[in-house]
């Protein structure tokens, strides 16, 4: 919840005047724990391709906050945000692959997505990466590291500020 609220608050400055009201309503709804209302205001942003909103919807679906819990939709929205460079969504996607939530369990994918989130400073991803390594073979780790490099080039580098 704090992560969602923090992300929304930080992005408030980026909202255009046309949508600033809806953005502020989404922040207020999240702060009040009114997830159904937050969902109503966040969904249009996500549908327009805003990574922060996609990541929030992914979390809402994963946790059943304001919507019926749905791991498939959680993966969908987290993947969209992760592919736009959102580190939190990348970490969430790694966890979903690790646990087989909404996708087939895949330690290589889990390790790769979690690794890029960890490299970007996500503390939970750093911890989870260590946990994952304990359950993986050397071959899986090597494949995960290789995939992590590919994902980094595709889903982190293009979104880094120069």
């Amino acid at each position: 919840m704090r992560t969602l609220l923090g992300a929304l608050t930080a992005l408030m400055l980026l909202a255009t005047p046309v949508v600033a009201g809806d953005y502020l309503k989404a922040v207020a709804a999240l702060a009040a724990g009114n997830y159904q209302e937050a969902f109503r205001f966040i969904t249009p942003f996500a549908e327009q391709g805003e990574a922060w909103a996609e990541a929030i919807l992914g979390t809402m679906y994963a946790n059943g906050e304001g919507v019926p819990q749905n791991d498939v939709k959680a993966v969908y929205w987290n993947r969209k945000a992760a592919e736009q460079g959102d580190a939190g969504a990348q970490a969430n996607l790694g966890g979903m692959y690790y646990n087989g939530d909404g996708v087939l369990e895949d330690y290589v994918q889990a390790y790769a997505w979690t690794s890029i989130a960890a490299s970007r400073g996500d503390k939970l991803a750093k911890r989870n990466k260590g946990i994952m390594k304990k359950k993986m073979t050397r071959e899986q780790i090597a494949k995960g590291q290789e995939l992590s490099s590919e994902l980094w080039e595709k889903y982190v580098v293009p979104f880094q500020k120069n």
Side-chain angles (χ1 to χ4, degrees), residues 157 159-162:
V157 172
F159 302 100
Q160 291 178 325
K161 296 180 181 176
N162 298 328

Side-chain angles (χ1 to χ4, degrees), residues 1-158:
M1 170 60 190
R2 282 188 174 167
T3 303
L4 295 177
L5 187 57
L8 279 175
T9 303
L11 291 168
M12 180 172 57
L13 299 173
L14 301 175
T16 64
V18 175
V19 295
D22 287 346
Y23 183 85
L24 294 174
K25 289 175 184 175
V27 171
L30 282 173
N34 186 345
Y35 297 113
Q36 289 178 336
E37 179 102 347
F39 178 81
R40 187 167 63 89
F41 288 113
I42 292 168
T43 299
F45 289 102
E47 289 172 345
Q48 292 173 18
E50 295 288 340
W52 62 268
E54 294 166 348
I56 291 169
L57 285 188
T59 300
M60 291 176 81
Y61 275 112
N63 297 332
E65 297 170 332
V67 293
Q69 195 277 336
N70 186 320
D71 288 335
V72 173
K73 287 184 179 181
V75 168
Y76 172 81
W77 288 111
N78 274 304
R79 181 178 305 285
K80 288 181 75 66
E83 290 178 353
Q84 291 188 70
D86 187 285
Q90 291 165 344
N92 290 344
L93 194 54
M96 297 188 91
Y97 272 109
Y98 183 76
N99 294 315
D101 295 332
V103 291
L104 292 177
E105 184 180 280
D106 185 333
Y107 286 173
V108 172
Q109 285 281 341
Y111 185 85
W113 284 108
T114 301
S115 290
I116 61 174
S119 294
R120 299 181 68 208
D122 188 290
K123 291 178 183 175
L124 185 58
K126 287 179 183 179
R127 182 184 68 85
N128 288 344
K129 183 179 170 184
I131 293 169
M132 289 176 185
K133 282 178 87 169
K134 292 177 183 177
K135 290 195 172 189
M136 296 173 68
T137 66
R138 284 185 208 162
E139 293 79 20
Q140 287 175 315
I141 293 170
K143 286 180 183 178
Q145 290 169 336
E146 184 178 326
L147 180 57
S148 176
S149 294
E150 293 171 22
L151 295 176
W152 182 271
E153 289 299 317
K154 195 170 181 180
Y155 301 124
V156 176
V157 172

